[in-house]
Every structure is written in structure tokens, then in C-alpha cells.
Amino acid sequence: MEGLIAAFTIFVLAIFVGFEIITKIPPTLHTPLMSGSNAISGITIIGALISAGSENQFVPKMLGFVAVIFATINVIGGFLVTHRMLEMFRKKD
Amino acid sequence: MSPTLINLSYLVASVLFIFGLKGLTHPRTAVRGNLLGALGMAVAVVATLLAKEIISYQWIILGFVIGGLFGAVLAIKIHMTAMPQLVALFNGFGGGASVLVAGAALLELVIEHKALSTQFTVATAASGLIGAVTFWGSLVAFAKLQELISGNQIIFPGQQAINAIIGAAALGLCGYLVYAPEQTLTYWVLVAVSSVLGILLVIPIGGADMPVVIALLNSYSGLAAAATGFVLSNSVLIISGSLVGASGIILTQIMCKAMNRSLAHVLFGVLGEAGEKASADDVYAGRVKSASAEEVAMLLENARQVVIVPGYGMAVAQAQHAVRDLMNLLESRGTNVEFAIHPVAGRMPGHMNVLLAEADVPYDKLKEMDEINPSLEQTDVAIVLGANDVVNPVARTDPKSPIAGMPIINVDKARTVVVIKRSLSPGFAGIPNPLFAADNTLMLFGDGKKAVLELISALKEAA
């Protein structure tokens, strides 16, 4: 139970931090924000790695393997495409 | 690596994510912000790979290679106009990964006959439900935007009742999974039912509401990741998931406000009250004036202040580079040119800004709706390029219209309005636009890009 409360505390505090930062992002950058935060949601890759690489039974391991593929697409694609967009905003400085 | 060290690395990764998002508050620091976010991800991944549970790497490497190649090729090849569907697609994969990770964790514990805590099972159910809705919802959004299926609203009788029943069934399965988690089949049934729910929730939503849907799905993918964090009791997943969830919710709110729609209306496919629609004939009959590029060029020649209002039509015609040339030409003659960006112009939040940035339009020329509206009365020429509903004065004047109350860009207050458009066809909302028939409006019929190029050459000839 204590672990749950701790996890829940982190969850709620992180939402507040998120609101504070994200409301300050100007509309010009809303598309990069979306693809960038999307890439961050690929953090599920951590869980995927643990399932795919541990001493698991075959089925959980394969689920983990497919999850690694999915999450890697999300992470690599997300950060790259965000970078591509932001480079366009930068060069006019 | 000891668990303490790994957890400390996760803390570092979380801090990097927060700094990364903070970097996005200004275009100058945004690139660095994104790199910090990517660095955070790298720290988290490396720390995990060094964890002692991970003993075999071959499947991981294979997964990295397949996923990395696929993601990288898409990210590098995609046209900026197709950005919304790409973001939807990536989003979906994130949600799908959450479903699989939670499923794998459940199976593993059950096979090894380990104890399942309530936190674990509740979080697993949440991960399966939200993740599957995100995955299938995003795929439908992708298919709609890519025009693999019709982008129109698809509504059938009893839709809301069916959705409610399926939603209730999904929640019931969640409850059963928490009650009897050893029966892992329940989880996959839950995933299947949630998948149907994801499809049914997005299918009825039309192209005009896509910015809201994409923002919402973005939020869901974060929540799915956070739920997976509760499954694995992993703080970095919880923190980054909540950051993304918050960002998606904020954008959803902004988009809803920009269309004067409630989230519930978007989700349940209600496009305003049906009301009486003015027929196109009544609105336009005999009052539409069309002009040639030469006539418009003459207007522009004498203008001091020009405001360009881009819409999705500009994106479709790939006219953003031509528009930039027009801007440069006008500026070189001492005309002040600004762009008026409606929050829901394009198909995702801020999409129009990206398209104009791609064409090297300086971002300080891009003005938000609230900022530009007061100055439109002093504007000599407002050029509406492939935008429709976001400049329809009916939103202000007719409380019965489907877009009533939606904040619009007040181009009708400019001295002269030039509308570049292929025909008088209506926009997403499907209603005629009296702006096109207004006394101070000239229609320049034609493809967006071609029309702008003609304007440029007419202006050059006049010089």
C-alpha cells in the first residue's frame, strides 16, 4: 500500500509540473511539443526491455520483443521528426 | 548495476525530460530541449540494459534494429503536410507497447505463481484499456488523415448507446481482472474489447475535429505509459507518462476552446445543433465578385499592411513556399506582411506554424488569432488562402449555425479581403461563408499555389 501511495504521489506531482511547464509553450511550438512529448511517452520501452531481455518464458518474452519494436518506433521516430521540425524554426534566428 | 544506481539514473532521465519540455517554451531553445529529452531516453535505456534482470540481448537488439529503422525512415521521409498522421501513428505504437508490456508482466508473474498485488492488477487493467484505445484510435486517425478511409463523420443510429455498452463491458472486464488476475485470458479479452472501443470512438469524428482527437490520443498514450509505470512500480514511467498526459490534456483544451466545442461533443460526434442552414444559393446569389491576379496585384501594390490567413488548403496545394516569396516581394516594397494563425488551422495544434517555418517564414511574423484580430481594422488587404470556417463571420452573427461562438479571425473587418480558393465549396463545417459575398471581398479562384505564383508575377510586371 505504501508503495502505491508513493507512486501515486509521484504521478500527481508530475502532472502539476507538466501543467506548469506546458502552459508556457507558445502555439508556434504546439506541433513539436506534441511529437516530442509523444516520443517521451515511448518510455514504455523500459518495460519492454525488461520483458524481452529477462529470463522469461517464451510468450512474455515475445510480447516484450514486439513491445520493443513498437516503443523503438515511437522513440526514434518521435525524437527525429521533432528535431527535423525544430531545425526549421531555428535557422531564422 | 545496483538497483539504487538504476533508480538514480531514472531520476536523471526524468529531470532531463522536464528540462527538455522546458526548452520547448522558446523556438531558440527548442532544439536543445528536444535533444535533452532524447538524452534522457538514452540514459533510461542504458541504465535498464545494465539492470541485472536483463541477461539476453539478442531479441532486444533485433527489436531496436527493426523499430529504429522503421521509425527513422518514416521520420526522415515524411512531408510536413503529413505530420499529423505520422504523429498519430507513432502515438499508436506507444500505446500498443504499453498494452504488450503490461500483458507480458502479468503473464510472467502468473506463470511463475508469484503474488499479484491490487496495485499491479488495477494498473495492468488500466494499461490494457487505455493502451488499446490509444493504439486503435490512433490507427483510425492515421487512416482518416491519410485518406485510407473517409475523413467524414461516420455516424450510425444507436452509436452512443453501443459505445456506452462497450465501455461498460471494458470496465466490467477490468473489474473481473482485478478480482481474478490468474486468468490471464481476461486481459486479452479486455484488450480486444478496448480495441473495438478505440475504433468506435474515433470513427465518427470528422476531419475538422482531428486536432482535438490527436491531442487527446497523445494524452492517452501518456496515461498508458503512466499506467504501465504503476504495473512495474517504475518512477520514470510514471513521471514521463504524466508529463505527456498533462501536455495532451492542455492541448485538447486549447483546441476545444478554439472551436467553441466541448470535449464531450467532439467525443460523441455532435457537430453543433442541426439548426437551419442557409443554402449556398441564398448566401452567394449574384453577389460574389471574382477578380484576376492582376487586379489583386494592383491592390497589393498600394497596400501598407497585408495579413495572410493560411488554412489547410494552403498545405494541400503545397503553397507555403510561394507564399513566402510573395511575402518577401511585398516586404521589399515596404509593405508590412503578417500571418494570422487560427489555433485549429491545419490538422493538428500548431500545424500551420510548422508548414510556414518549413518555408522559412520567420516565426515573429506568425501572429495568433487574439493578437492579430484588433489590427485587422487597419489592414489594407487580408488574403485568405485555403481557409474557410476559421474566417466565417457566421460564427459571430448566427447563433444557430454549427460554428456559432467559435472564435474566428476577423478578416471581414479588413478594408479589402481577397479569398484564394478553388471554388465556393464549404469547409469542414459544411456551411456557406457570407464572407465570400461581402462587399469588400474579392474571390481569386484557382489552386492556391498557382494563384499565388500568378500574383507574384503580376506584381513583378507592375513594378
Side-chain angles (χ1 to χ4, degrees):
Chain A
M1 197 61 195
E2 230 164 85
L4 175 64
I5 298 295
F8 198 69
T9 309
I10 293 175
F11 177 66
V12 173
L13 291 181
I15 287 182
F16 276 106
V17 172
F19 265 90
E20 277 310 307
I21 299 175
I22 288 153
T23 43
K24 293 196 179 73
I25 296 178
T28 305
L29 292 175
H30 278 168
T31 294
L33 163 66
M34 195 164 259
S35 67
S37 68
N38 191 10
I40 293 176
S41 78
I43 188 70
T44 324
I45 195 167
I46 302 298
L49 293 176
I50 296 171
S51 297
S54 64
E55 196 182 349
N56 251 337
Q57 305 280 338
F58 185 71
V59 178
K61 209 175 166 72
M62 284 306 106
L63 289 174
F65 168 62
V66 180
V68 171
I69 298 182
F70 277 18
T72 310
I73 294 174
N74 191 196
V75 168
I76 300 285
F79 280 119
L80 262 183
V81 87
T82 309
H83 188 74
R84 238 185 100 197
M85 271 190 272
L86 290 174
E87 279 288 320
M88 295 172 192
F89 283 99
R90 185 161 73 167
K91 63 191 163 202
K92 271 83 62 186
D93 262 4
Chain B
M1 218 157 137
S2 75
T4 315
L5 216 51
I6 289 175
N7 280 327
L8 280 176
S9 314
Y10 286 165
L11 175 63
V12 171
S14 305
V15 171
L16 285 170
F17 288 147
I18 291 171
F19 274 114
L21 286 174
K22 205 162 174 296
L24 283 178
T25 47
H26 197 281
R28 247 199 334 267
T29 55
V31 174
R32 197 175 61 214
N34 185 51
L35 292 175
L36 285 179
L39 180 66
M41 191 64 76
V43 168
V45 166
V46 170
T48 311
L49 288 176
L50 298 175
K52 62 174 178 294
E53 303 105 283
I54 295 200
I55 47 163
S56 70
Y57 291 89
Q58 58 270 41
W59 290 108
I60 292 178
I61 293 169
L62 190 61
F64 277 162
V65 170
I66 299 175
L69 276 179
F70 191 67
V73 168
L74 279 177
I76 291 166
K77 294 266 171 199
I78 197 84
H79 282 289
M80 286 297 143
T81 30
M83 193 55 71
Q85 48 267 51
L86 185 72
V87 170
L89 192 66
F90 286 161
N91 207 22
F93 282 123
S98 292
V99 171
L100 296 171
V101 170
L106 177 70
L107 265 187
E108 193 192 336
L109 292 191
V110 169
I111 291 172
E112 293 172 4
H113 299 289
K114 286 196 180 139
L116 300 160
S117 70
T118 313
Q119 175 193 336
F120 177 85
T121 48
V122 170
T124 303
S127 206
L129 172 69
I130 306 171
V133 168
T134 309
F135 181 70
W136 286 102
S138 301
L139 287 192
V140 173
F142 170 80
K144 282 191 164 232
L145 290 166
Q146 191 68 26
E147 289 172 10
L148 299 174
I149 56 175
S150 160
N152 295 333
Q153 284 195 305
I154 299 172
I155 294 176
F156 48 88
Q159 193 163 31
Q160 293 176 25
I162 293 173
N163 285 356
I165 292 168
I166 295 178
L171 288 178
L173 283 163
C174 287
Y176 188 69
L177 184 67
V178 174
Y179 171 72
E182 300 77 24
Q183 297 178 21
T184 52
L185 183 65
T186 315
Y187 179 75
W188 300 109
V189 177
L190 168 65
V191 168
V193 171
S194 310
S195 303
V196 176
L197 187 63
I199 295 172
L200 288 180
L201 280 176
V202 180
I203 274 279
I205 299 173
D209 287 331
M210 267 309 151
V212 181
V213 178
I214 295 189
L216 193 65
L217 288 170
N218 193 43
S219 175
Y220 287 172
S221 77
L223 293 178
T228 311
F230 280 93
V231 173
L232 306 173
S233 295
N234 184 315
S235 57
V236 71
L237 260 74
I238 297 177
I239 294 172
S240 25
S242 0
L243 290 175
V244 178
S247 126
I249 288 288
I250 293 171
L251 291 177
T252 307
Q253 265 179 344
I254 293 174
M255 296 300 117
C256 281
K257 210 174 133 206
M259 294 192 293
N260 191 37
R261 306 275 306 275
S262 77
L263 184 55
H265 279 185
V266 174
L267 284 182
F268 298 110
V270 190
L271 193 76
E273 299 302 316
E276 290 161 41
K277 279 187 190 171
S279 85
D281 290 345
D282 293 346
V283 176
Y284 298 141
R287 275 181 291 182
V288 174
K289 294 183 292 293
S290 80
S292 67
E294 286 73 25
E295 290 168 79
V296 175
M298 264 172 4
L299 273 172
L300 290 176
E301 234 181 303
N302 299 316
R304 286 159 151 255
Q305 162 85 6
V306 171
V307 171
I308 301 176
V309 187
Y312 195 68
M314 178 197 78
V316 172
Q318 291 278 348
Q320 59 270 41
H321 298 275
V323 170
R324 185 241 4 244
D325 292 342
L326 178 66
M327 172 193 82
N328 287 340
L329 183 60
L330 288 170
E331 295 250 294
S332 70
R333 297 155 153 260
T335 309
N336 185 33
V337 183
E338 285 177 330
F339 289 82
I341 314 285
H342 192 278
V344 293
R347 289 185 162 189
M348 71 188 293
H351 189 198
M352 211 47 69
N353 301 80
V354 173
L355 295 174
L356 291 169
E358 186 196 9
D360 284 332
V361 175
Y363 55 76
D364 53 17
K365 293 250 163 227
L366 311 179
K367 304 290 177 193
E368 293 161 44
M369 176 173 65
D370 296 335
E371 200 182 339
I372 197 96
N373 266 343
S375 68
L376 273 161
E377 280 167 45
Q378 286 89 49
T379 297
D380 298 304
V381 184
I383 302 177
V384 178
L385 183 58
N388 218 324
D389 298 328
V390 298
V391 292
N392 194 336
V394 155
R396 258 191 341 247
T397 55
D398 180 2
K400 281 190 186 146
S401 133
I403 58 167
M406 171 171 139
I408 56 160
I409 293 177
N410 295 327
V411 284
D412 53 329
K413 305 219 164 138
R415 294 198 184 101
T416 311
V417 185
V418 175
V419 179
I420 301 178
K421 207 169 148 30
R422 266 189 276 213
S423 66
L424 288 171
S425 66
F428 286 126
I431 47 171
N433 190 340
L435 174 75
F436 301 163
D439 290 338
N440 57 342
T441 301
L442 294 171
M443 299 296 296
L444 180 54
F445 288 111
D447 168 75
K449 188 174 176 181
K450 223 173 124 243
V452 175
L453 290 176
E454 281 169 11
L455 264 182
I456 292 174
S457 57
L459 262 172
K460 280 185 179 156
E461 267 170 41

